[in-house]
Amino acid sequence: MSYANDVLVDTDWVAEHLNDDSIRIVEVDENPALYAEGHIPGAIGFDWKADLQDQVKRDFLDAESFGKLFGEKGISNDHTVVLYGDRNNWFAAYTYWYLRYYGHDKVKLINGPREKWIAEGRETTTEVPSYPAATFDTSEGNRSIRAFRDDVLAALDNGTKLVDVRSPQEFSGELISPAGYEQEGAQRGGHIPGAASIPWSQAVQEDGTFKSAEELRELYGGKGVLREDDGPIIAYCRIGERSAHTWFVLHELLGQADVKNYDGSWTEWGNLVDVPVEQGA
């Protein structure tokens, strides 16, 4: 059983297209310092926090700022953007979702993170590429793939499937945030009532490549998340990057039509007053 959409490229494909001017390779890491240590030749590096987030409010860039950023880096609407990063493509998948949100459909994800490229002994460089400035036009944000707080509140009663992709310890309320991120947590621990716990990492193999479509269908179907009626699904995590990875699996690889990423995620929900929270496994 193949994936629903042609949205992945393997490392062999990337190696063969390093000099293809119709593509722009982009690295987005959870640890932005990794890019300077070595990256795929020609790859543009984005710092997810400094470049891709609004620096005043907790939100991402508006459409105009997003288009300006990409255009200044030499990415146009004619380019196919090929994304990868560390942490099994956490923020690469987030940037994929972000691009789709602003209407750019010519985008692929490398099937495997930067660690896979390096482990295969492939070429890296510390040289930062310089491409001519381009025009990158954006559309208004696509609400069909992004959930907001009110969408999640409505989901508690309207049959929407919720999937919590954090660790079991975060889901139960034992931890408010993963180890190492203690300063970025919410006021309360737990999960949104009715959510299924399916940690994002269960969708990938040891080398960070995605499991087969059959294995993924078994994983999400076994937890009651897949919808034969293509009904709505909302994925969430802590700040929206791990849930973007799960959004990619459900929407792009498995072809579920109505999947939204709640990028406010637990950092928003766990700080809200008068919303329900469940604790325990």
Side-chain angles (χ1 to χ4, degrees):
M1 183 186 298
S2 59
Y3 299 126
N5 297 294
D6 180 20
V7 291
L8 293 173
V9 293
D10 60 25
T11 50
D12 285 340
W13 185 95
V14 176
E16 292 167 1
H17 288 79
L18 292 180
N19 298 313
D20 185 344
D21 195 50
S22 71
I23 72 169
R24 289 287 186 262
I25 302 171
V26 174
E27 177 171 340
V28 191
D29 297 312
E30 188 273 337
N31 175 10
L34 292 175
Y35 175 80
E37 295 178 7
H39 48 266
I40 296 175
I44 296 164
F46 282 131
D47 182 320
W48 72 267
K49 187 177 291 187
D51 294 329
L52 297 175
Q53 301 294 300
D54 189 291
Q55 296 304 295
V56 177
K57 58 184 178 179
R58 186 180 175 266
D59 199 356
F60 54 57
L61 302 177
D62 61 29
E64 182 180 355
S65 300
F66 186 83
K68 183 173 182 288
L69 172 70
F70 274 69
E72 288 177 346
K73 291 287 189 177
I75 303 171
S76 76
N77 298 103
D78 293 329
H79 285 114
T80 296
V81 180
V82 177
L83 292 155
Y84 77 103
D86 66 345
R87 291 283 185 142
N88 290 343
N89 284 329
W90 271 8
F91 280 100
Y94 173 81
T95 308
Y96 180 107
W97 169 78
Y98 204 162
L99 281 160
R100 291 293 305 275
Y101 181 72
Y102 280 135
H104 188 73
D105 295 335
K106 297 176 71 173
V107 56
K108 307 276 189 181
L109 197 65
I110 297 180
N111 193 9
R114 62 172 274 127
E115 292 87 350
K116 184 175 190 292
W117 181 272
I118 292 169
E120 292 172 350
R122 298 186 185 272
E123 181 183 1
T124 61
T125 182
T126 58
E127 181 179 349
V128 177
S130 177
Y131 298 109
T135 298
F136 190 91
D137 292 324
T138 54
S139 61
E140 186 178 349
N142 179 4
R143 286 290 303 269
S144 74
I145 63 171
R146 186 185 187 191
F148 293 84
R149 173 187 58 201
D150 289 346
D151 298 316
V152 180
L153 280 168
L156 300 178
D157 300 312
N158 67 11
T160 296
K161 300 286 189 181
L162 294 166
V163 54
D164 185 317
V165 315
R166 299 173 299 161
S167 67
Q169 293 79 13
E170 291 171 271
F171 181 82
S172 69
E174 179 184 343
L175 295 177
I176 294 177
S177 58
Y181 300 86
E182 288 81 4
Q183 302 306 312
E184 301 177 22
Q187 293 298 310
R188 296 182 293 172
H191 57 269
I192 299 171
S197 175
I198 311 178
W200 72 277
S201 57
Q202 293 182 7
V204 297
Q205 303 181 90
E206 190 173 340
D207 65 354
T209 57
F210 290 98
K211 291 180 178 177
S212 69
E214 184 177 5
E215 291 171 311
L216 293 172
R217 289 195 176 280
E218 183 176 344
L219 170 64
Y220 292 96
K223 293 294 184 74
V225 169
L226 294 188
R227 307 284 303 250
E228 289 186 9
D229 61 356
D230 274 337
I233 303 169
I234 295 175
Y236 74 93
C237 60
R238 183 178 61 94
I239 61 172
E241 87 293 8
R242 289 176 288 177
S243 50
H245 190 278
T246 297
W247 172 88
F248 180 87
V249 171
L250 292 171
H251 191 273
E252 302 294 84
L253 298 185
L254 297 183
Q256 290 287 298
D258 188 355
V259 187
K260 292 183 174 71
N261 179 26
Y262 174 35
D263 57 301
S265 280
W266 194 256
T267 300
E268 178 176 68
W269 191 269
N271 282 320
L272 292 174
V273 175
D274 198 28
V275 297
V277 168
E278 286 184 348
Q279 295 187 330

